[in-house]
Amino acid sequence: MRIDFYTYVHQCQRKQMFNLAMHAGEINYNEPEKLLPLAEELAVFLTGIRSHADHEDIFIHPLLRRKMPSASRTLDNEHEELKKELLNLEENFAHIQLLINHYPKRQEQGLEFYRALNRFIANYLYHIDKEEYVMQNLWEIAAAPELSGMMMAFQVYHDPEEGRKW
């Protein structure tokens, strides 16, 4: 079996993103009690995406920089752009939550958040597709001990429960 750093976690992220997008598209932003569950779901999503990016930076990208420097630069640049988009989403949603209950344009601002979330998802889907393609190339140019060494380092880095989750 080949070591694959991306597929499983990306499958989980896709499901989470699609569920988040559906939730964000269905709620009435004028009802403050509906925002709290979405805020919690968004926080879990943001934490997971950021954690995954950190894992890539620590464990995968050093090997990519040695084996595939051009692909590594592209992915690194995309990570920076995606981080900015995540921060914008977080700030946008926090602003909506701070609006008074009867603010006349609260629903419209919620719709803008929903659209921004979906733009992020579109960009992120394209990005993770590139990462999965890079993994295929790594199988061809990296030795098995290099890949298994990265996986072992990742597993040692986390406690067993956290490592299994990822």
Side-chain angles (χ1 to χ4, degrees):
M1 183 172 95
R2 289 183 168 174
I3 292 174
D4 188 335
F5 302 111
Y6 294 115
T7 301
Y8 176 72
V9 70
H10 288 169
Q11 287 171 334
C12 295
Q13 288 176 336
R14 285 179 181 101
K15 180 180 178 184
Q16 189 180 30
M17 286 187 291
F18 295 144
N19 288 338
L20 180 62
M22 285 189 313
H23 188 184
E26 294 170 347
I27 72 166
N28 181 343
Y29 289 86
N30 287 321
E31 298 176 19
E33 67 278 3
K34 304 282 181 166
L35 296 180
L36 185 57
L38 182 59
E40 291 168 353
E41 192 177 348
L42 180 62
V44 168
F45 170 70
L46 294 172
T47 299
I49 291 285
R50 288 175 174 143
S51 182
H52 177 63
D54 290 344
H55 295 158
E56 290 176 351
D57 289 340
I58 294 167
F59 299 103
I60 302 168
H61 288 201
L63 180 63
L64 280 179
R65 287 181 190 103
R66 290 192 307 274
K67 301 288 183 177
M68 302 173 66
S70 177
S72 175
R73 277 190 299 278
T74 298
L75 294 177
D76 285 341
N77 290 339
E78 288 178 6
H79 275 201
E80 290 306 311
E81 289 304 312
L82 290 166
K83 284 178 187 177
K84 290 175 190 174
E85 286 184 55
L86 284 177
L87 185 59
N88 288 338
L89 282 175
E90 197 169 36
E91 290 173 351
N92 187 326
F93 192 78
H95 173 75
I96 292 167
Q97 288 181 290
L98 292 174
L99 294 173
I100 59 171
N101 288 345
H102 301 292
Y103 183 77
K105 295 289 185 172
R106 189 177 194 160
Q107 185 65 25
E108 288 84 351
Q109 289 190 355
L111 180 59
E112 178 51 34
F113 165 76
Y114 169 71
R115 289 175 177 151
L117 173 64
N118 280 284
R119 283 190 301 273
F120 170 81
I121 290 171
N123 292 336
Y124 194 72
L125 288 171
Y126 185 63
H127 172 75
I128 63 178
D129 180 66
K130 285 183 190 177
E131 287 181 337
E132 291 168 7
Y133 180 75
V134 163
M135 188 72 236
Q136 293 173 19
N137 289 328
L138 270 179
W139 290 330
E140 300 302 320
I141 63 174
E146 292 174 297
L147 297 173
S148 61
M150 280 192 337
M151 185 59 79
M152 284 191 288
F154 175 76
Q155 290 171 335
V156 169
Y157 179 80
H158 289 290
D159 64 73
E161 183 62 32
E162 183 72 9
R164 274 191 296 280
K165 181 182 101 175
W166 287 105

